[in-house]
Amino acid sequence: MMPTMRSFETGLSRLRRRLTAAGAALLLAGPVFASDHDGSSHELLPTNGASRSIIIRGPYVQLATSHSIYVVWRTDKRIQPVVRYGDNPGNLDRVVAPQDVITRVSLGTNRAERLRVIEQWPEVAHFPVLHSAYAGTWQYEARISGLQPESTYYYAVCDGETRLTGRDPSYRFKTHPPPGKSAPVRMWIVGDSGTGRENQSLVHDAMLKHTARDGRPIDLYLHLGDMAYNKGKDVEFQSRFFEMYEPTLRNVVCWPTMGNHEGSTSKGTTGIGPYYDAYVVPARGEAGGVPSGTEAYYAFDYGRVHFICLDSHDLDRKPTGAMAQWLKLDLERTKADWILAFFHHPPYTKGSHDSDRETQLVQMRTHIMPILESHGVDVVLTGHSHIYERSMLMDGAYATPTIAENVILDDGDGDPNGDGPYQKSAGLHPNQGTIQVVAGHGGTRNSRKGTMPVMRKIIVEHGSVIIDIEGDTLTGFMLNKFAEVRDTFSLVKRGHITPRRILNPWQPPDWKPPRSPGGEEPAAEVPEDFIDVIPRHAEWHYLAGSDPEGLKWTEPDFDAKDWKVGIAGFGYGMKGVRTELTDMQGNFSRIYLRREFEIEHADYIAEIGMRIFYDDGFVAYLNGKEVARKSMGKGHGKDARDIRSHPGDKLEYVPLKDFEKHLKSGRNVLAIEGHNSSKDSSDFLLDPDLIIED
């Protein structure tokens, strides 16, 4: 028995919840009444085909195969869910009836909401529930089966006989090729997009412009995670994913992988959360590949191309874990010509994240990449790092730190119009080379920490990736937000190729952060996608008017029960003061702060820093170790020297250096000593908070 059996049984729980709804949906037959927010009800009247505002999400398509697909949508009122479809937009002559539609409902997130919904519709106690959507939200999942391969169909979502979607041919879908048939495929790849801001919209528009320009639309859409900043909440999915991509989602399936931001509210271990509510994926092998028994990771086929989605965020990444064991079995059984793997955390990057420092990234490189490469994977697609990076043809780079020597098989640019495409033998062969693509540049702010030596292209610019596969040739494009092609690479699998490792491969040029005209390093930027761990204007323990002995006060086990408690900011004579130090001027020039905070997984943290107003200087300590010092010289406490004047009217961001050496899972302590340049100064301010990027 394969080691994933326990996860298979656990993963079926959500599928069972869905299937129970099929029977419950029979209750929806007959006259349909919907409740308004004031509790009154009214009968839903025909609209002569006009679009109805009660649809609040979608419709969008999911889990396509050569013979079936799902249409999913949400309403804010109860309806009689029907999907009509056909091969002509003017003749939707086939029907998915209400009893065949899986219906789910949100009972809300508190007792009062649950009672209100159940009182209104007592039968919902038997329905599968949505995790955290607004109370009274209804989700419908209609599986359309018995379709022909490689065929286009048109559809409409209805409330009984009333059409809710417009008479628009963009409400359509196309089925996959038959299993095993070689067919061209175009895919759109996006990562770290979910801001809801202009750059995300421009990246989407650029794809639409490019595909319209060359007359070749996309067949499928891979999202590499972080699709709903900041915490993957249901409302964030709505505004930052579904509303942003609605024109594409109505006719192209998005195949997702969970990012760390979705992981704030959804858990791969349970398969529960807004991420799992949003998608229908093939946990039972419905679309090809070995059943995984969980929606956290899965496989699917498109003709002769095999796709593998992994959860790099919150599941065991070790070779002995359930995910890795399933991966090995799935790879052993595929008969495809091409394999593409996608997950969130990149094995190789020096963008906004560093794969030589962060645990999840290191483990994907050391534990998962050997499995993928030994089974002939062709391309690995990842996000998380807010940059575009694309590697040379490589194999076996599992060491930390990453080096390029003897792991590069072709150090050319891979461009058909440049050095020429990379080459591998036809079919699947172990360790003949992989192309790594980091595409975490879909909408959030881009940044770069350094140079990853295995990369051939490094571009700090918003965009996305389009990959075409036809026959024995794969061609990829990096498309920026202005629809300009910024990188082209190709891989040809033909004949027999003998890989050769390059001792001294081409290397990308060194990179250092840009400096100002005066030569100073630029001020650190606040991560765009952060989580508060000590919020602004939080309560802190503080000591003012005297000095503690040594640095014991900075350590986690120090007892601060005799210290006062106040709200940040601390000071006098300045805007922003909330805890007034009325006796500080003329008497003392130092104050000491302590605040405890909790971190669930210290290994997941990519950056931790303070946003702080300070006048004049400070030293910060994390669990007893110094991690930041500003506007002052050496020493601490009463022995601190060279306190320089610093205006406290600007919020600055200060990353905590070497935090990974000191941060712990569980309870931590941030301690700060604030210094005034003179006890006779006219003002003072110390106003910190603490944020993390994971």
Side-chain angles (χ1 to χ4, degrees):
M1 179 179 295
M2 61 180 291
T4 56
M5 186 55 67
R6 183 169 62 178
S7 68
F8 183 91
E9 293 296 329
T10 302
L12 285 176
S13 59
R14 181 175 179 244
L15 297 172
R16 293 193 183 104
R17 289 198 302 274
R18 281 184 169 171
L19 293 172
T20 59
L26 288 167
L27 297 168
L28 297 177
V32 178
F33 293 84
S35 171
D36 288 326
H37 295 296
D38 62 3
S40 62
S41 62
H42 62 277
E43 189 168 1
L44 298 177
L45 300 176
T47 61
N48 298 320
S51 178
R52 293 294 303 274
S53 62
I54 61 173
I55 291 183
I56 57 175
R57 177 179 290 183
Y60 59 101
V61 289
Q62 284 282 277
L63 208 175
T65 72
S66 60
H67 57 274
S68 66
I69 200 167
Y70 279 82
V71 175
V72 184
W73 74 101
R74 283 186 178 182
T75 63
D76 61 2
K77 295 176 174 64
R78 185 181 178 188
I79 68 169
Q80 187 177 5
V82 171
V83 175
R84 300 183 182 277
Y85 64 100
D87 54 15
N88 186 311
N91 183 26
L92 307 183
D93 56 347
R94 282 167 274 183
V95 177
V96 180
Q99 62 267 28
D100 297 318
V101 177
I102 297 169
T103 301
R104 309 176 72 200
V105 65
S106 175
L107 303 181
T109 56
N110 61 57
R111 186 172 184 272
E113 289 177 331
R114 289 194 294 271
L115 290 175
R116 177 177 67 82
V117 175
I118 292 173
E119 181 180 2
Q120 207 162 1
W121 301 292
E123 65 272 20
V124 302
H126 304 291
F127 280 37
V129 298
L130 298 170
H131 176 266
S132 51
Y134 290 120
T137 297
W138 297 79
Q139 179 164 304
Y140 307 98
E141 301 169 3
R143 182 174 182 266
I144 304 175
S145 59
L147 305 174
Q148 294 299 310
E150 296 181 287
S151 299
T152 298
Y153 295 85
Y154 302 86
Y155 70 92
V157 165
C158 305
D159 175 10
E161 296 297 320
T162 302
R163 184 169 182 156
L164 302 181
T165 49
R167 299 180 184 277
D168 186 332
S170 67
Y171 291 104
R172 66 178 185 273
F173 56 82
K174 186 176 181 180
T175 52
H176 285 196
K181 178 181 177 180
S182 180
V185 59
R186 166 166 283 192
M187 65 202 79
W188 184 43
I189 298 104
V190 181
D192 300 77
S193 63
T195 64
R197 299 175 185 147
E198 182 182 17
N199 284 324
Q200 180 185 9
S201 179
L202 290 173
V203 168
H204 181 220
D205 290 345
M207 179 275 292
L208 296 175
K209 291 176 184 176
H210 178 83
T211 54
R213 191 165 58 213
D214 65 8
R216 176 70 170 92
I218 60 173
D219 298 303
L220 54 91
Y221 170 17
L222 305 180
H223 202 293
L224 305 177
D226 284 0
M227 56 201 71
Y229 291 115
N230 249 349
K231 296 186 176 182
K233 295 185 291 187
D234 194 273
V235 65
E236 292 169 334
F237 262 102
Q238 182 63 29
S239 63
R240 300 175 186 184
F241 181 78
F242 285 102
E243 291 176 8
M244 181 66 68
Y245 298 125
E246 193 276 335
T248 294
L249 296 174
R250 67 172 60 169
N251 52 51
V252 178
V253 173
C254 177
W255 301 87
T257 186
M258 189 173 75
N260 50 291
H261 285 271
E262 288 79 53
S264 296
T265 47
S266 300
K267 303 300 177 186
T269 50
T270 62
I272 293 174
Y275 170 86
Y276 292 99
D277 288 345
Y279 298 107
V280 184
V281 299
R284 295 178 291 173
E286 304 97 314
V290 171
S292 66
T294 171
E295 292 182 310
Y297 51 89
Y298 58 91
F300 70 96
D301 290 326
Y302 189 100
R304 299 289 297 168
V305 184
H306 188 61
F307 293 87
I308 295 170
C309 169
L310 300 176
D311 179 344
S312 61
H313 174 61
D314 62 354
L315 295 185
D316 187 353
R317 294 170 286 274
K318 296 185 181 65
T320 54
M323 183 171 69
Q325 292 296 303
W326 167 83
L327 175 62
K328 292 175 186 176
L329 186 61
D330 180 77
L331 289 167
E332 288 168 0
R333 292 187 179 179
T334 185
K335 304 298 183 183
D337 293 327
W338 296 90
I339 299 177
L340 279 71
F342 63 106
F343 44 88
H344 186 60
H345 296 83
Y348 310 94
T349 185
K350 295 282 185 179
S352 64
H353 292 269
D354 186 341
S355 59
D356 287 335
R357 294 181 59 189
E358 301 173 35
T359 298
Q360 291 155 301
L361 286 66
V362 171
Q363 289 187 353
M364 292 304 289
R365 177 169 69 251
T366 57
H367 298 327
I368 299 299
M369 282 309 306
I371 300 172
L372 290 169
E373 290 184 331
S374 66
H375 289 84
V377 68
D378 298 300
V379 180
V380 171
L381 302 161
T382 56
H384 192 54
S385 197
H386 304 160
I387 195 170
Y388 173 78
E389 297 167 298
R390 191 264 298 170
S391 77
M392 297 169 270
L393 189 66
M394 57 183 291
D395 177 78
Y398 313 135
T400 303
T402 302
I403 60 173
E405 290 77 10
N406 283 317
V407 301
I408 301 300
L409 307 183
D410 186 334
D411 63 356
D413 63 11
D415 188 338
N417 296 315
D419 297 335
Y422 302 124
Q423 298 184 24
K424 296 174 65 173
S425 300
L428 299 179
H429 301 276
N431 304 106
Q432 286 206 352
T434 301
I435 300 172
Q436 300 281 335
V437 177
V438 180
H441 61 325
T444 194
R445 186 173 60 224
N446 299 319
S447 63
R448 181 177 180 182
K449 293 182 182 293
T451 299
M452 174 53 62
V454 299
M455 294 300 172
R456 200 55 165 79
K457 288 285 186 175
I458 303 170
I459 303 174
V460 186
E461 190 174 355
H462 289 104
S464 61
V465 175
I466 293 175
I467 291 180
D468 295 326
I469 299 178
E470 185 166 4
D472 61 7
T473 302
L474 176 151
T475 305
F477 309 92
M478 195 287 257
L479 195 69
N480 72 8
K481 66 181 180 181
F482 304 113
E484 300 166 337
V485 175
R486 299 282 282 113
D487 180 35
T488 302
F489 61 93
S490 184
L491 174 62
V492 174
K493 300 177 70 174
R494 187 181 301 157
H496 176 75
I497 301 296
T498 302
R500 295 180 180 178
R501 299 182 180 273
I502 302 175
L503 178 60
N504 294 302
W506 176 92
Q507 293 283 269
D510 290 337
W511 177 89
K512 293 182 179 180
R515 294 180 177 270
S516 68
E520 301 90 1
E521 289 189 12
E525 291 188 329
V526 180
E528 188 168 18
D529 315 305
F530 63 82
I531 298 171
D532 289 300
V533 289
I534 301 178
R536 296 213 60 73
H537 315 313
E539 287 189 341
W540 295 69
H541 281 89
Y542 74 98
L543 178 67
S546 62
D547 300 296
E549 291 294 328
L551 292 175
K552 186 69 176 177
W553 68 277
T554 68
E555 298 175 1
D557 58 356
F558 178 77
D559 187 354
K561 66 181 180 182
D562 295 330
W563 289 25
K564 295 180 180 179
V565 175
I567 297 174
F570 298 85
Y572 65 91
M574 294 190 70
K575 181 181 179 180
V577 170
R578 284 173 170 75
T579 297
E580 187 86 26
L581 304 176
T582 56
D583 57 343
M584 186 173 184
Q585 187 176 19
N587 295 312
F588 58 92
S589 62
R590 297 176 295 278
I591 181 176
Y592 303 87
L593 309 182
R594 277 177 57 92
R595 167 79 189 212
E596 294 184 357
F597 63 95
E598 296 281 334
I599 294 292
E600 184 176 0
H601 297 292
D603 286 347
Y604 292 3
I605 307 305
E607 183 168 307
I608 183 166
M610 294 186 298
R611 296 181 303 172
I612 185 169
F613 293 97
Y614 63 97
D615 179 340
D616 288 300
F618 72 87
V619 184
Y621 306 86
L622 177 60
N623 294 329
K625 304 297 182 182
E626 182 177 324
V627 288
R629 180 179 291 256
K630 291 291 182 179
S631 194
M632 54 187 292
K634 296 180 179 180
H636 55 82
K638 60 187 177 183
D639 298 321
R641 299 289 181 266
D642 188 24
I643 313 302
R644 299 180 290 276
S645 178
H646 179 274
D649 57 353
K650 180 181 178 181
L651 185 66
E652 298 183 22
Y653 176 63
V654 181
L656 304 188
K657 65 180 181 181
D658 298 327
F659 72 88
E660 63 272 14
K661 298 178 181 177
H662 317 306
L663 191 67
K664 302 180 296 184
S665 298
R667 186 174 70 94
N668 295 267
V669 169
L670 177 64
I672 308 171
E673 55 180 80
H675 293 261
N676 218 345
S677 58
S678 167
K679 67 181 180 181
D680 297 318
S681 174
S682 62
D683 52 26
F684 174 77
L685 181 63
L686 190 62
D687 186 6
D689 67 9
L690 187 67
I691 63 175
I692 61 171
E693 181 183 24
D694 65 357

